[in-house]
């Protein structure tokens, strides 16, 4: 079976070492993590962890079952129909064309967010594949540093 | 009630009706040991190694079905206990293991006897806690016992820094546990159960495949009732020995070990490929993990069987399976489990059968790991669940003797026998001292072939007889070893000597070692080479 890309959301109790339980489960059982995003859910004692992974249907089923077995895990969603976003920030030397950079970022749901004396920072927030396209396209402006977040996702 | 963290540990153990704690003191756990000194509610058994403390708690838990408790100190005390945690995790044994930790202010400073204990125990426990405030202790300990014994049972580790055991806080031990994120399923899905019974009723060659969950959920009586009523034949896994009586005509034999793991299934694509599989398991992650289940049923097997019983009574016609039972009877005639007597040396299988003939139901049987373990699983006439205590998943050499001590403490009326090998026994032989001190007269039967026999067997079959590092010709005098600790030893080379030694050992009220000289090159059969399919099973092998 082919290794499909999957997005899994895990709702966990906000407590010490809960993240290492999740990450340890992946490494211990030989599952792969492509990206990981964690933040507390406002006004609750839970956090939401969004994990992008890859595996056969059988492996994904095992991952969700094993995650569910962890005591501080409340819910595990394996998303099928979802809205998924990532963000990226790019630091670019000031000698490039601001207008072109602004236009490119704009096409990917972003803009220039900071302008310093030597560098500027542009950010985008879009679907993961489109963020990938943006990072391809921005290469012509000789980026000095790139940072890319993990995914966040919600079921439609 | 305002008391110290250490007193809370004692109060919690009393509230959980703990009658025995196996442990070993040390710097970081001293506050708790001081409170153990002052109390009279439970016994503390001082093993001579932390690993043995955890194995003894496992043996106690296996024999009683209760949560076993072990207590150890930080650093090396804890790391010595990890093998026990891992063993209990693999075999789903309910334990609470309490360890001391360096004071909070020293955590992370590489202090004396400091190790990240919860970091180490995380992948080999059902759950673990580092308690950072004494006010959390009552809740944590309550949860630890609850998590250990419910759902799929397992070990829970509680790590307590030394200053937390000294801290004073309010002790309020609630009766109920409320865990929003942990609610194990116990009843089976009614629709799935209905479909499963229909599938059995329509089947021509059904087979009950009985696993260790039956023992831990206390469902053996129901299984006996179910198999008798439906006349469906059964195989037991290694972990389920004793579910059906050894002389039950419906019991075919043992099938490998441990659920659907690699040692049962062999090559997965060839395993029962024409069968429809109904898999009942309390752990959803175990269903269809390796072998696809056509009728997955998540729930406690005892509840599921209770739900199945009335439907089975209505729908399943026991007469339907008569031809199938005949076929199986023929298999058993063609390939009976057997061994041949030859030469002067005792056969290890004979020794096990003989213990069974002489003691049968009167003995609880523990083992170490290796050939003796497989022969015991094959040849001992088990007649009840919890009679059989062995390390199935992790395969821990050195498990048997301390486990047998825990069994003896749990069930003092019966004889507690540890069937072991000349390799395994040396891995926790110091427990002779514990056995003597606490008057736990375990009988250790060493099937002595001067080899690490199981590895030697594989070297013989698959490594062209290159017996690398498995020859144990150099050995201690086990009789003298037993005597040095205050026990009794016997060296046995004939059947008559064995009978006499066993009879004497049963009557002695002190720990014993019966060192039985057995045939050096005996092999465990049948066997399936690693990765092979069950059709390639090796039924016989003649040493050339």
């Amino acid at each position: 079976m082919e290794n499909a890309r999957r997005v899994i959301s895990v709702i966990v109790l906000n407590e010490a070492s809960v993240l290492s339980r999740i990450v340890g489960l992946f490494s211990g059982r030989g599952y792969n993590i492509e990206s990981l995003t964690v933040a507390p859910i406002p006004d609750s004692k839970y956090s939401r962890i969004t994990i992008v992974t890859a595996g056969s249907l059988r492996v994904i089923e095992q991952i969700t079952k094993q995650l569910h077995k962890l005591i501080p895990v409340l819910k595990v969603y394996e998303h099928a129909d979802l809205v998924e976003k990532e963000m990226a920030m790019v630091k670019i030397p000031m000698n490039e064309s601001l207008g072109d950079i602004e236009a490119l970022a704009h096409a990917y749901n972003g803009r220039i967010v900071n302008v310093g004396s030597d560098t500027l920072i542009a950010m985008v927030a879009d679907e993961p594949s489109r963020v990938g396209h943006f990072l391809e396209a921005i290469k012509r402006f000789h980026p000095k540093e790139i940072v890319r977040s993990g995914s966040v996702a919600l079921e439609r | 009630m305002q008391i110290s963290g250490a007193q809370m540990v004692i109060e919690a153990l009393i509230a959980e009706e703990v009658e025995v704690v196996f442990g070993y003191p040390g710097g970081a756990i001293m506050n708790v040991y001081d409170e153990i000194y002052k109390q009279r509610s439970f016994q503390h058994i001082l093993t001579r190694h932390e690993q043995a403390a955890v194995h003894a708690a496992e043996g106690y838990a296996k024999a009683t079905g209760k949560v076993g408790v072990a207590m150890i100190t930080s650093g090396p005390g804890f790391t010595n206990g990890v093998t026990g945690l891992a063993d209990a995790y693999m075999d789903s044994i309910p334990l609470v293991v309490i360890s001391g930790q360096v004071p909070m202010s020293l955590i992370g400073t590489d202090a004396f006897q400091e190790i990240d204990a919860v970091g180490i125990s995380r992948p080999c426990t059902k759950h673990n806690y580092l308690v950072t405030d004494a006010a959390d202790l009552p809740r944590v300990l309550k949860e630890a016992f609850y998590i250990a014994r419910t759902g799929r049972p397992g070990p829970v580790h509680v790590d307590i820094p030394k200053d937390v055991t000294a801290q004073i806080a309010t002790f309020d031990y609630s009766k109920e546990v409320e865990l929003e994120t942990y609610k194990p399923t116990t009843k089976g899905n009614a629709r799935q159960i209905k479909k499963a019974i229909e599938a059995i009723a329509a089947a021509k060659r059904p087979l009950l495949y009985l696993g260790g969950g039956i023992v831990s959920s206390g469902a053996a009586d129901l299984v006996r009732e179910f198999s008798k009523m439906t006349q469906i034949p059964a195989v037991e896994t290694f972990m389920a020995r004793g579910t059906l009586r050894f002389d039950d005509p419906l019991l075919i034999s043992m099938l490998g070990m441990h659920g659907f793991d690699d040692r049962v299934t062999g090559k997965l694509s060839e395993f029962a490929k024409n069968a429809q599989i109904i898999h009942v398991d309390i752990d959803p992650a175990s269903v269809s993990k390796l072998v696809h289940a056509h009728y997955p049923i998540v729930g406690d097997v005892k509840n599921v069987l209770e739900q199945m019983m009335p439907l089975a009574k209505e729908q399943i016609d026991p007469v339907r399976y008569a031809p199938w039972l005949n076929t199986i009877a023929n298999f058993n005639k063609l390939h009976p489990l057997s061994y041949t007597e030859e030469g002067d040396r005792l056969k290890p299988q004979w020794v096990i059968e003989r213990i069974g003939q002489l003691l049968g139901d009167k003995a609880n049987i523990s083992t170490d790991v290796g050939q003796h373990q497989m022969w015991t699983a094959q040849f001992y006439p088990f007649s009840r669940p919890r009679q059989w205590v062995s390390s199935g998943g992790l395969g821990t050499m050195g498990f048997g003797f301390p486990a047998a001590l825990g069994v003896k403490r749990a069930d003092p009326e019966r004889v507690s026998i540890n069937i072991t090998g000349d390799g395994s026994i040396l891995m926790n032989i110091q427990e002779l001292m514990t056995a003597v001190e606490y008057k736990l007269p375990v009988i250790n039967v060493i099937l002595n072939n001067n080899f690490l026999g199981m590895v030697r067997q594989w070297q013989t079959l698959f490594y062209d007889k290159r017996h690398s590092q498995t020859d144990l010709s150099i050995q201690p005098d086990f009789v003298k070893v037993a005597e040095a600790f205050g026990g009794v030893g016997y060296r046995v080379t004939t059947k008559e000597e064995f009978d006499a030694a066993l009879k004497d050992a049963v009557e002695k009220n002190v720990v014993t070692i019966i060192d039985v000289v057995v045939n050096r090159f005996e092999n465990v059969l049948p066997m399936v080479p690693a990765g092979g399919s069950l059709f390639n099973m090796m039924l016989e092998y003649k040493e050339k």
Side-chain angles (χ1 to χ4, degrees):
Chain A
M1 209 177 293
E2 104 280 20
N3 274 13
R5 180 182 184 277
R6 308 272 163 177
V7 182
I8 297 171
S9 293
V10 193
I11 314 297
V12 298
L13 272 178
N14 249 337
E15 60 177 33
S17 76
V18 66
L19 185 59
S20 60
R21 288 184 205 282
I22 306 282
V23 174
L25 188 149
F26 274 77
S27 61
R29 291 185 181 266
Y31 309 141
N32 184 34
I33 294 180
E34 268 177 28
S35 81
L36 179 80
T37 308
V38 194
I41 299 172
D43 303 321
S44 84
K45 53 185 178 186
Y46 295 103
S47 278
R48 185 175 179 115
I49 304 177
T50 312
I51 300 168
V52 179
T53 182
S56 64
L57 278 179
R58 190 183 204 101
V59 166
I60 299 293
E61 190 185 330
Q62 261 300 304
I63 292 177
T64 54
K65 283 175 170 177
Q66 294 292 351
L67 282 169
H68 214 104
K69 254 171 89 169
L70 297 175
I71 306 292
V73 169
L74 180 70
K75 276 182 190 153
V76 183
Y77 301 105
E78 193 220 319
H79 296 294
D81 187 19
L82 50 80
V83 175
E84 187 188 350
K85 298 287 179 196
E86 270 183 24
M87 74 166 289
M89 292 198 289
V90 186
K91 191 183 279 182
I92 297 166
M94 276 300 281
N95 49 11
E96 303 288 343
S97 154
L98 258 67
D100 289 356
I101 294 167
E102 174 71 26
L104 181 61
H106 189 75
Y108 290 94
N109 213 6
R111 60 196 166 88
I112 293 173
V113 288
N114 182 269
V115 180
S117 51
D118 299 329
T119 56
L120 65 86
I121 296 173
M123 64 81 69
V124 295
D126 212 329
E127 281 149 34
S129 62
R130 287 181 50 80
V131 171
H133 295 157
F134 168 77
L135 293 177
E136 241 345 275
I138 203 76
K139 275 184 186 166
R140 79 185 61 169
F141 300 106
H142 310 100
K144 297 173 73 156
E145 239 180 304
I146 294 173
V147 56
R148 186 174 180 168
S149 76
S151 281
V152 289
L154 279 178
E155 199 87 25
R156 256 180 243 276
Chain B
M1 184 162 55
Q2 293 284 317
I3 54 174
S4 72
Q7 288 168 321
M8 288 183 187
V9 172
I10 306 301
E11 291 299 323
L13 295 181
I14 293 169
E16 296 293 340
E17 297 174 358
V18 171
E19 55 164 359
V20 60
V21 172
F22 301 89
Y24 205 107
I29 192 78
M30 280 179 71
N31 291 335
V32 182
Y33 269 87
D34 193 44
E35 296 302 326
I36 287 178
Y37 185 87
K38 297 175 193 164
Q39 62 80 40
R40 290 287 170 272
S41 302
F42 57 83
Q43 183 189 23
H44 180 278
I45 290 183
L46 175 71
T47 57
R48 264 45 176 190
H49 192 298
E50 288 88 351
Q51 183 192 354
V54 184
H55 289 329
E58 288 185 86
Y60 177 86
K62 283 272 254 186
T64 57
K66 295 189 218 166
V67 178
V69 181
M71 195 171 294
I72 52 188
T73 193
S74 67
F78 168 75
T79 54
N80 279 345
V82 170
T83 302
L85 284 173
D87 190 90
Y89 185 57
M90 293 286 274
D91 283 351
S92 308
I93 299 172
L95 290 189
V96 170
V97 175
I98 297 168
S99 61
Q101 181 55 281
V102 301
M104 296 272 288
S105 57
L106 292 181
I107 287 182
T109 66
D110 298 322
F112 176 65
Q113 294 195 331
E114 186 198 356
I115 196 76
D116 175 10
V118 285
I120 290 173
S121 70
R122 200 168 292 134
C124 56
T125 51
K126 186 174 174 188
H127 197 47
N128 64 10
Y129 298 88
L130 170 64
V131 184
T132 56
D133 186 338
D136 295 335
L137 255 178
R139 173 185 60 80
V140 166
L141 290 166
K142 182 82 208 171
E143 286 178 10
F145 277 88
Y146 175 73
I147 290 169
R149 71 171 162 254
T150 53
R152 179 178 185 162
V156 180
H157 167 219
V158 182
D159 197 35
I160 317 177
K162 192 171 185 179
D163 51 342
V164 174
T165 54
Q167 191 191 342
I168 307 284
T170 306
F171 182 80
D172 180 13
Y173 205 72
S174 62
K175 289 265 178 290
E176 299 298 316
V177 178
E178 189 53 49
L179 282 168
E180 254 178 288
T181 58
Y182 174 71
K183 301 195 189 305
T185 316
T186 58
K187 276 246 190 287
N189 179 298
R191 261 186 42 215
Q192 279 294 62
I193 287 173
K194 188 166 165 284
K195 283 202 272 178
I197 293 292
E198 284 166 9
I200 298 172
K204 288 206 183 83
R205 292 180 292 167
L207 183 69
L208 298 176
Y209 181 117
L210 310 173
I214 291 161
V215 178
S216 47
S217 83
D221 285 344
L222 267 173
V223 169
R224 289 180 182 198
E225 204 184 321
F226 185 86
S227 83
K228 198 170 171 207
M229 182 178 87
T230 57
Q231 289 293 299
I232 298 175
V235 290
E236 290 173 348
T237 66
F238 176 93
M239 299 304 288
R241 285 314 241 172
T243 299
L244 297 185
R245 276 187 62 91
F246 70 98
D247 51 3
D248 189 321
L250 288 167
L251 176 63
I252 301 173
S253 186
M254 180 179 83
L255 188 66
M257 321 171 220
H258 241 270
F260 287 124
D261 93 357
D262 49 334
R263 286 160 299 173
V264 172
T265 58
K267 197 171 165 188
L268 277 170
S269 54
E270 294 292 318
F271 180 76
K273 60 181 176 186
N274 298 319
Q276 299 256 304
I277 292 172
I278 301 166
H279 186 162
V280 181
D281 205 308
I282 190 129
D283 178 5
S286 286
V287 179
S288 295
K289 182 159 75 179
L290 295 170
V291 173
H292 174 71
H294 305 80
Y295 304 91
I297 299 174
V298 175
D300 185 315
V301 64
K302 193 176 178 187
N303 295 339
V304 173
L305 273 172
E306 277 167 0
Q307 292 169 271
M308 280 183 166
M309 217 49 122
L311 294 171
K313 208 171 225 165
E314 266 170 35
Q315 295 178 40
I316 295 176
D317 173 18
V319 180
R320 182 181 165 85
Y321 312 131
W324 168 224
L325 287 174
N326 267 330
T327 312
I328 288 174
N330 281 334
F331 283 151
N332 275 343
K333 261 183 237 153
L334 279 173
H335 303 295
L337 195 56
S338 67
Y339 62 94
T340 46
E341 302 260 14
E342 56 194 333
D344 292 339
R345 285 219 171 172
L346 288 173
K347 283 283 178 138
Q349 299 95 326
W350 177 86
V351 176
I352 292 157
E353 279 185 341
R354 189 64 183 153
I355 300 170
Q357 286 161 6
L358 295 175
L359 297 174
D361 179 51
K362 288 202 280 292
N364 288 312
I365 304 293
S366 308
T367 72
D368 271 301
V369 171
Q371 289 182 309
H372 67 269
Q373 177 190 31
M374 297 301 124
W375 285 318
T376 307
Q378 290 175 329
F379 288 94
Y380 197 88
F382 295 102
S383 51
R384 57 189 161 81
R386 303 198 178 282
Q387 186 181 11
W388 162 239
V389 176
S390 190
S391 170
L394 196 65
T396 309
M397 289 172 72
F399 170 88
F401 187 15
L405 294 172
V407 171
K408 185 66 186 175
R409 177 60 181 77
D411 189 2
E413 299 304 313
R414 288 199 172 92
V415 182
S416 179
I417 294 190
N418 172 38
I419 297 176
T420 180
D422 46 308
S424 288
I425 189 64
L426 284 176
M427 285 206 188
N428 266 320
I429 193 115
Q430 78 286 343
E431 294 312 309
L432 283 165
M433 207 66 262
T434 312
V436 168
E437 178 174 356
Y438 294 93
K439 300 188 171 55
L440 297 168
V442 165
I443 300 173
N444 293 283
V445 178
I446 304 177
L447 300 179
N448 192 340
N449 56 8
N450 291 93
F451 266 125
L452 288 176
M454 189 58 104
V455 183
R456 193 281 308 152
Q457 174 173 342
W458 281 69
Q459 288 170 336
T460 297
L461 296 173
F462 307 115
Y463 291 84
D464 205 18
K465 299 188 185 170
R466 290 186 299 279
H467 295 153
S468 178
Q469 304 298 315
T470 48
D471 190 319
L472 301 182
S473 291
I474 295 186
Q475 285 186 340
D477 180 332
F478 286 112
V479 175
K480 283 190 185 153
V481 170
E483 286 168 356
F485 282 89
V488 174
Y490 314 83
R491 172 97 169 164
V492 164
T493 55
T494 67
K495 291 181 176 177
E496 294 69 32
E497 284 171 4
F498 181 75
D499 282 6
L502 185 62
K503 186 162 172 285
D504 195 61
V506 170
E507 283 163 11
K508 285 262 181 332
N509 209 20
V510 68
V511 66
T512 51
I513 290 179
I514 306 178
D515 183 17
V516 189
V517 181
V518 296
N519 186 22
R520 284 200 82 190
F521 290 95
E522 195 68 17
N523 291 321
V524 176
L525 293 166
M527 75 178 290
V528 180
S533 103
L534 299 189
F535 292 107
N536 302 329
M537 194 180 298
M538 196 178 285
L539 295 168
E540 286 172 49
Y541 176 83
K542 274 263 171 265
E543 197 77 33
K544 285 184 230 61

